[in-house]
Amino acid sequence: MQKGLKRKDLLGLKDLTREELNILLETAFSMKEVLQRPIKKIPTLRGKTICFMFFEPSTRTRSSFELAAKRLSADTINVSSSQSALLKGETVLDTLKNVDAMGIDAFVVRHASSGLPHFLSRHTGASVINAGDGMHEHPTQALLDMMTIKEKLGKLSGVKVLIAGDIRHSRVARSNIYGLLKMGAEVRLFGPPTLVPPEFEKLGARIYYDKNEALRDVDVVMGLRIQNERLKGSFFPTIREYRKFFAITPHDLDNLDKKPLVMHPGPVNWGVEMDFDIIKDKNNVILEQVTNGVAVRMSVLYHLVSGEKEDEEITD
Ligand code: CP
């Protein structure tokens, strides 16, 4: 096992070093081996308590974090906006402080407000893990994306990754840009100019507005859905036009000499950002990304919550 992270929180990939990313990925691969054992459970977090605070909908992130915590033998509780005293006017901060008073080791937070996990982390001694904050970051999604690329292609350095779709409103795009660039990958962005603003070049990504140029010689195509819940205004005329000019189609991929991995963080709006028939592409690894999400979240919980900071083995 790699030496642990010396961090209380995981709020984003922007501040992580390449060494820390390597540690998290290496441990995720070890956790994946645990998940392939007949008994997929280790006692690493026995006696620890993880609180999930999801104030936005989630299928993959929430269930894989919960499964990861259970695989590590932690106790878990859930606080949501629809079934908590938030409905009676309690603030998110008061909610955190009250639950924290019960003895929590880590909060996993998803919220529509960018920066909320950072704010909460200043008010608790527990670890805070960002499970997606507004348009800011979704660090564990980018980690599982990087794990999947490394697993499939054997490396991240030098890999050409095209992220296609609504980049402007995407926390997944931002975390992937930070993480992939640190690991030596090339990151290309493609979509309508309204959804791929030039500022993204300042982060080190290359912007393309021509789909054929964007796809030339890529190793990975990562689709992103239009983040309708964050759209304020009109960014393209109609879905039909969006689909015509910006969707990734089997025809686009058939024209390429080298067949790229096809990825998507989900949920996929099939027939909008990706043609329905992409689901049948032999390089579609979307569900393998989901599988790796459990291992990545086990790695993050292990490093932040176990309190074990030195070299050690994962034992059962
Ligand atoms: N990729 C992702 O964050 O999916 P969920 O919204 O289902 O968690």
Side-chain angles (χ1 to χ4, degrees):
M1 176 68 62
Q2 280 271 4
K3 202 170 176 189
L5 297 191
K6 292 184 173 51
R7 285 182 177 270
K8 177 172 99 60
D9 306 311
L10 178 65
L11 302 175
L13 296 194
K14 187 178 181 183
D15 301 326
L16 261 60
T17 63
R18 183 176 177 141
E19 189 195 359
E20 287 176 304
L21 291 171
N22 271 323
I23 289 171
L24 286 166
L25 291 174
E26 198 164 305
T27 305
F29 281 110
S30 302
M31 293 300 180
K32 188 157 182 176
E33 285 173 24
V34 169
L35 294 170
Q36 285 159 354
R37 295 176 186 172
I39 296 173
K40 306 170 176 56
K41 199 166 175 111
I42 52 177
T44 313
L45 296 188
R46 197 164 49 200
K48 305 285 185 185
T49 307
I50 318 286
C51 176
F52 301 104
M53 300 177 84
F54 276 68
F55 302 118
E56 269 194 337
S58 170
T59 298
R60 283 146 287 265
T61 311
R62 183 178 180 142
S63 45
S64 61
F65 257 120
E66 187 147 359
L67 200 51
K70 288 180 160 66
R71 299 294 194 218
L72 294 169
S73 305
D75 297 315
T76 61
I77 59 168
N78 281 281
V79 174
S80 68
S81 38
S82 62
Q83 289 183 326
S84 71
L86 284 160
L87 288 179
K88 302 176 195 169
E90 189 165 37
T91 64
V92 175
L93 179 57
D94 276 344
T95 304
L96 174 118
K97 284 180 173 173
N98 278 268
V99 180
D100 205 10
M102 301 176 203
I104 299 297
D105 296 289
F107 290 94
V108 179
V109 181
R110 170 170 287 193
H111 199 279
S113 299
S114 302
L116 186 88
H118 297 66
F119 170 72
L120 295 178
S121 79
R122 296 199 289 274
H123 295 272
T124 173
S127 292
V128 175
I129 299 166
N130 182 358
D133 62 328
M135 304 195 304
H136 178 233
E137 282 222 44
H138 192 350
T140 56
Q141 178 65 48
L143 284 166
L144 75 87
D145 294 338
M146 287 193 282
M147 179 183 179
T148 307
I149 295 170
K150 193 164 182 191
E151 187 175 51
K152 293 288 164 190
L153 303 182
K155 61 178 184 175
L156 287 164
S157 184
V159 169
K160 295 183 181 69
V161 180
L162 173 63
I163 308 178
D166 178 2
I167 310 295
R168 177 191 284 268
H169 301 101
S170 173
R171 52 200 181 203
V172 175
R174 285 174 179 79
S175 286
N176 264 302
I177 291 168
Y178 295 133
L180 285 165
L181 290 176
K182 255 173 223 170
M183 299 305 285
E186 176 186 318
V187 180
R188 303 179 182 184
L189 307 175
F190 166 70
T194 47
L195 293 176
V196 190
E199 312 74 281
F200 276 86
E201 264 178 341
K202 294 190 194 130
L203 303 183
R206 293 187 195 171
I207 293 179
Y208 293 78
Y209 297 121
D210 178 287
K211 189 161 52 168
N212 291 328
E213 275 182 36
L215 282 164
R216 189 168 300 136
D217 207 25
V218 290
D219 301 292
V220 178
V221 180
M222 187 185 297
L224 293 180
R225 73 184 173 89
I226 300 162
Q227 312 271 302
N228 284 311
E229 68 277 30
R230 288 182 244 291
L231 256 57
K232 291 191 177 70
S234 178
F235 288 87
F236 48 88
T238 62
I239 288 289
R240 182 184 289 199
E241 279 195 71
Y242 185 91
R243 192 164 47 212
K244 180 170 174 196
F245 293 108
F246 301 106
I248 304 297
T249 69
H251 178 71
D252 296 327
L253 302 184
D254 287 347
N255 281 341
L256 301 174
D257 295 333
K258 183 172 67 178
K259 303 300 174 205
L261 293 183
V262 178
M263 300 178 66
H264 196 300
V268 186
N269 291 148
W270 293 109
V272 181
E273 69 270 17
M274 279 191 176
D275 190 278
F276 288 105
D277 285 339
I278 292 277
I279 207 164
K280 293 183 252 163
D281 191 287
K282 66 179 173 40
N283 289 332
N284 166 0
V285 294
I286 294 171
L287 290 180
E288 291 173 73
Q289 291 172 257
V290 178
T291 301
N292 287 338
V294 181
V296 154
R297 286 157 182 142
M298 285 173 77
S299 167
V300 169
L301 290 171
Y302 165 78
H303 280 293
L304 295 185
V305 183
S306 71
E308 317 258 12
K309 301 296 178 205
E310 297 305 319
D311 293 352
E312 59 188 19
E313 293 293 311
I314 296 177
T315 52
D316 53 11

